[in-house]
Amino acid sequence: MDYNTLRQRWDALEAPASIYEVDPSLEPLDDTVELARRAGMAIPEGEPSWTGDAVSMRLEHDAHTLTVYRPSRAVQCVDNSRWQVDDGASDMQISDAEAFDAAEREASRLGLLEQDDFTPFRVTRLRASSCVRGQSPRKPRVIDVGVVLKRRLGGLGFEGQGGNVVMYFGPEGSLTGFERVARRVGKVRAAVTGWRPLDDVLTETEDHLRLRRDSDFTVEDARSGYLELGRLQEQTVIQPVYVLALRLGGPNREPEEPERRIEHAIPAALNNIAPLVPSAEPDVPQTPRYSAD
């Protein structure tokens, strides 16, 4: 994407947004034991027996394991006897639309959506096959379907490993597991006062990667959204970011060096809260290397 095209794309990414606090006072979905029971875990009455470590807490009963991750308060439940288990015969025939409908219905029943706005994002299918040595594999069968629902906040979607609910279905559409990595959004810390200009972001990206645009990498796409980290990472604020889809390589790439593609997130608000990726080196003010002229 050349500079002028990217600049036109940039102007369309701005939207009303805020920087939010992450609410640290609430446990995941308030009552995880009741959530486990709704998911099919026959937990006896009384105080359940939790096990855990510094990273997570686990509640196990029969083949089910419910896990709460301490850093993010993400919650995950898996039926180990059925999740991604091949019975040797099943072949799930389910369309994306049917999978999204089932995921939204089950997530709502379990209370995983709460008051948040989740929209269909992706359907994944796990395939299994078999073959006899020296022969071609038989036709692959779909044995497990995963459905990703992505959160939206105002007019922006979410980027990163978090901000989602994932539902897993086995043969006959039975629920075999789920995961919610969607922190509770608290009060507004500050409204976004403005969005960072393209030149500033390109300069910071080059300095972070220690590469130069055009000669070392190409920007293939750009989008904006709120960033939410994964289940093993602590996070105190939810704030908007730019995400640049980059293709590494260029005229300086060695012939034997393969092209690589990465996605780079960078704070989008002029009044953003600290860098997303702390630098090991002191911050040095940079002069933008790009001009709008």
Side-chain angles (χ1 to χ4, degrees), residues 209 211 220 243-248 260-264:
L209 297 176
L211 299 172
E220 296 194 314
V243 177
L244 304 181
L246 308 177
R247 184 179 75 246
L248 304 185
R260 293 182 295 147
R261 285 175 167 79
I262 65 171
E263 291 194 341
H264 178 60

Side-chain angles (χ1 to χ4, degrees), residues 40-182:
M41 294 178 67
I43 302 173
E45 294 297 328
E47 189 69 22
S49 178
W50 289 85
T51 60
D53 49 36
V55 173
S56 65
M57 298 168 53
R58 292 175 298 279
L59 182 61
E60 299 177 278
H61 188 76
D62 293 335
H64 288 82
T65 301
L66 185 138
T67 306
V68 176
Y69 294 90
R70 298 182 191 271
S72 64
R73 299 187 301 284
V75 61
Q76 178 188 65
C77 186
V78 173
D79 180 349
N80 298 291
S81 68
R82 297 186 301 136
W83 181 67
Q84 297 188 347
V85 173
D86 183 15
D87 63 8
S90 296
D91 188 2
M92 297 178 63
Q93 301 295 325
I94 181 172
S95 68
D96 284 5
E98 292 170 331
F100 284 133
D101 287 344
E104 290 177 326
R105 183 174 60 252
E106 285 297 294
S108 179
R109 178 184 69 83
L110 293 171
L112 294 173
L113 303 183
E114 296 191 303
Q115 303 302 312
D116 295 325
D117 178 19
F118 286 89
T119 59
F121 180 67
R122 179 183 297 130
V123 176
T124 64
R125 292 171 171 82
L126 178 66
R127 291 176 169 84
S129 184
S130 61
C131 68
V132 177
R133 183 187 295 271
Q135 298 182 11
S136 299
R138 299 174 183 174
K139 180 182 177 181
R141 296 172 290 103
V142 176
I143 63 170
D144 193 272
V145 171
V147 183
V148 182
L149 306 175
K150 271 287 187 180
R151 182 160 64 173
R152 293 187 64 83
L153 186 55
L156 290 178
F158 272 66
E159 300 287 344
Q161 294 180 326
N164 58 57
V165 167
V166 186
M167 309 297 290
Y168 297 98
F169 298 93
E172 301 178 358
S174 56
L175 185 67
T176 61
F178 61 81
E179 178 176 309
R180 176 187 160 110
V181 187

